[in-house]
Amino acid sequence: AKSDMAPSRNKDAVRIAVREDVKRLTDWVFDPKAAPSAATFKDGEVTVAVIKPHAVAKHKSGAIVDRILHEGFEITALQLFTLDRQAAGEFLEVYNTVVPEYNGLVAEMCDGPCIAMELRAEGAVNAFRALAGPSDPAVAQHIRPDTLRAKFGVNKVQNAVHCTDLPEDGVLESEFFFDIMQDTL
């Protein structure tokens, strides 16, 4: 009887060891702090694109990323975030008194996971704004039907992607997600 129990204990010990190894590996792979950000924070060369929660929930992220890559952008950093109201409000603060949909934009950004990317290209901010298209998808569908917002946007709030407005804001927005937000994870 003693010899029958030994293999069972060995199998249990192996199972426990394997589970611990798998947990360590899983924690390393999925822990955003396990590896430093690849963001470059290069002024004039980077912009931030955020795939909004509604587009993530509708499984449009892959198509959006494919299109970004097809247009020649280099993705230098990419991370999934779930923003709380405070973080979304801070990120979108510049729109507070400018855009009537500000509260809706904040609510959308904290409605589920979003995907933030630092994109690099020559004239990155303006190039990505052109790819994103007008902020109103209905307008985009008429005047720029091949843009991301025309194809994946629903309305002015759920317009598929956020894009950096001004060239001088590219680095600031990248730092928000890939530096400042790293401390909150």
Side-chain angles (χ1 to χ4, degrees), residues 16-38:
I16 290 169
V18 167
R19 280 189 202 123
E20 289 172 357
D21 286 347
V22 168
K23 180 169 179 6
R24 274 194 298 275
L25 181 61
T26 302
D27 289 347
W28 180 80
V29 169
F30 294 104
D31 179 6
K33 293 183 180 182
S37 171

Side-chain angles (χ1 to χ4, degrees), residues 39-88:
T40 62
F41 309 121
K42 290 193 176 180
D43 206 15
E45 293 181 16
V46 298
T47 190
V48 166
V50 180
I51 303 175
K52 293 186 174 184
H54 77 93
V56 172
K58 290 183 179 180
H59 308 286
K60 302 299 181 187
S61 305
I64 292 170
V65 170
D66 282 348
R67 179 71 189 282
I68 290 168
L69 292 171
H70 178 76
E71 295 295 327
F73 290 91
E74 178 185 355
I75 299 173
T76 49
L78 181 146
Q79 190 169 342
L80 184 75
F81 289 92
T82 302
L83 302 177
D84 61 22
R85 188 157 187 81
Q86 180 181 349

Side-chain angles (χ1 to χ4, degrees), residues 2-183:
K2 193 175 189 180
S3 63
D4 290 340
M5 292 185 69
S8 177
R9 269 189 248 151
N10 286 342
K11 286 180 183 178
D12 289 343
V14 168
R15 284 186 190 117
I16 290 169
V18 167
R19 280 189 202 123
E20 289 172 357
D21 286 347
V22 168
K23 180 169 179 6
R24 274 194 298 275
L25 181 61
T26 302
D27 289 347
W28 180 80
V29 169
F30 294 104
D31 179 6
K33 293 183 180 182
S37 171
T40 62
F41 309 121
K42 290 193 176 180
D43 206 15
E45 293 181 16
V46 298
T47 190
V48 166
V50 180
I51 303 175
K52 293 186 174 184
H54 77 93
V56 172
K58 290 183 179 180
H59 308 286
K60 302 299 181 187
S61 305
I64 292 170
V65 170
D66 282 348
R67 179 71 189 282
I68 290 168
L69 292 171
H70 178 76
E71 295 295 327
F73 290 91
E74 178 185 355
I75 299 173
T76 49
L78 181 146
Q79 190 169 342
L80 184 75
F81 289 92
T82 302
L83 302 177
D84 61 22
R85 188 157 187 81
Q86 180 181 349
E90 287 174 17
F91 179 66
L92 298 169
E93 180 63 31
V94 297
Y95 303 106
N96 191 6
T97 58
V98 181
V99 177
E101 297 84 14
Y102 171 76
N103 289 325
L105 292 169
V106 170
E108 164 64 13
M109 289 297 282
C110 49
D111 192 37
C114 63
I115 299 173
M117 296 172 278
E118 181 191 75
L119 307 179
R120 195 169 83 180
E122 189 173 324
V125 171
N126 291 329
F128 187 69
R129 284 187 60 74
L131 177 59
S135 60
D136 185 341
V139 172
Q141 289 166 0
H142 290 290
I143 65 171
R144 306 276 316 283
D146 201 35
T147 61
L148 296 174
R149 289 174 172 160
K151 291 183 177 286
F152 304 108
V154 176
N155 56 45
K156 287 182 180 182
V157 171
Q158 294 181 329
N159 60 1
V161 294
H162 164 83
C163 59
T164 305
D165 288 328
L166 303 169
E168 57 269 21
D169 291 342
V171 170
L172 295 174
E173 289 190 1
S174 183
E175 287 173 343
F176 178 83
F177 281 105
F178 301 108
D179 186 19
I180 297 167
M181 288 297 295
Q182 299 302 306
D183 295 334

